[in-house]
Amino acid sequence: MQQNVNTTLLESKLKRLKISFSKKNDKIIIAQSNTDYTILLGLIFLPIIAGIAILGFLFPIDSVIRESHSRKVIVASILFISFGITNIIRMRSKSKANKLTKVLGHKEIILNTKEASKRFDTNNIKHFDYTIKKLDEQTYSGNLFLVDTQQNKHLILGFDAETEQYLIDDLKWFSNYFSAHVQLNTQK
């Protein structure tokens, strides 16, 4: 029953972070992050279109008005376009961080790429590690890595949060979950 509780909590955390997963034959398959079309529209396309539109309104306006307000219009346009581009970069980095398919089997984690499949268990995992990067004033990005016995780092998950503490809490939780899943702490 404890395994079901852990699996349920894992599933809810993955849903909250918009990382797709499925269950098949007592295995959990974690795949790429889901594309959130409302974020795509609201945080990328609309700001970029608004920035371009603001610049477009600058040209047909009377030259006296243009001279007095051109700096404000250009700054507003740059802010909108920068905001859109920043969100494109965030979505691409999240997608890149979660591009590998991860299969959680019985006491193992299998990382699948187009070229190969790597199996990790308590015999070849040293520990789990994470990194945090500040993207802007309100956004932090974090990556969780599986560190093997040869000190190679394998990216497991990547996601962002609005506060550093939430990100740290999630990364620690996933690290502890994966350690318990492969029974890393009980074997070493």
Side-chain angles (χ1 to χ4, degrees):
M1 188 67 181
Q2 182 67 22
Q3 183 65 19
N4 271 349
V5 172
N6 286 339
T7 301
T8 304
L9 190 53
L10 172 68
E11 292 171 17
S12 77
K13 285 193 177 279
L14 291 172
K15 282 180 188 175
R16 181 176 54 83
L17 295 169
K18 295 179 176 56
I19 298 173
S20 65
F21 66 93
S22 61
K23 288 175 136 181
K24 186 176 183 180
N25 300 333
D26 293 330
K27 294 181 181 185
I28 295 178
I29 301 165
I30 302 171
Q32 289 189 337
S33 57
N34 296 330
T35 302
D36 189 346
Y37 293 105
T38 56
I39 290 176
L40 191 65
L41 179 67
L43 296 180
I44 295 174
F45 291 132
L46 288 179
I48 291 174
I49 290 169
I52 293 169
I54 289 171
L55 278 179
F57 286 123
L58 187 64
F59 294 109
I61 296 178
D62 182 35
S63 64
V64 175
I65 296 172
R66 186 176 5 171
E67 288 174 13
S68 63
H69 296 291
S70 65
R71 288 182 201 211
K72 295 174 190 174
V73 170
I74 291 172
V75 167
S77 178
I78 289 172
L79 287 175
F80 277 113
I81 293 171
S82 313
F83 182 74
I85 291 172
T86 300
N87 285 308
I88 288 173
I89 293 168
R90 279 180 55 198
M91 284 186 74
R92 290 191 73 201
S93 68
K94 183 178 177 182
S95 178
K96 183 179 176 183
N98 295 309
K99 73 178 180 182
L100 291 179
T101 301
K102 285 76 63 180
V103 179
L104 304 181
H106 181 68
K107 298 181 187 180
E108 68 180 3
I109 299 172
I110 301 170
L111 302 179
N112 293 321
T113 64
K114 292 179 181 177
E115 300 82 30
S117 180
K118 296 178 183 176
R119 182 184 174 279
F120 295 97
D121 60 17
T122 190
N123 297 318
N124 58 358
I125 297 174
K126 185 172 181 183
H127 64 279
F128 291 90
D129 195 11
Y130 58 86
T131 60
I132 297 173
K133 183 173 137 183
K134 186 174 184 176
L135 297 177
D136 57 38
E137 286 301 314
Q138 296 180 350
T139 309
Y140 294 86
S141 174
N143 290 319
L144 178 68
F145 297 93
L146 180 154
V147 181
D148 66 22
T149 53
Q150 274 75 46
Q151 299 298 326
N152 296 319
K153 286 187 172 185
H154 306 275
L155 184 59
I156 301 290
L157 293 174
F159 49 90
D160 51 37
E162 291 182 6
T163 63
E164 186 176 18
Q165 190 57 49
Y166 289 156
L167 188 62
I168 290 170
D169 291 346
D170 281 341
L171 288 167
K172 283 181 180 178
W173 187 90
F174 279 112
S175 177
N176 291 333
Y177 179 85
F178 290 131
S179 293
H181 175 77
V182 295
Q183 296 184 350
L184 190 61
N185 296 334
T186 59
Q187 295 291 323
K188 296 189 177 187

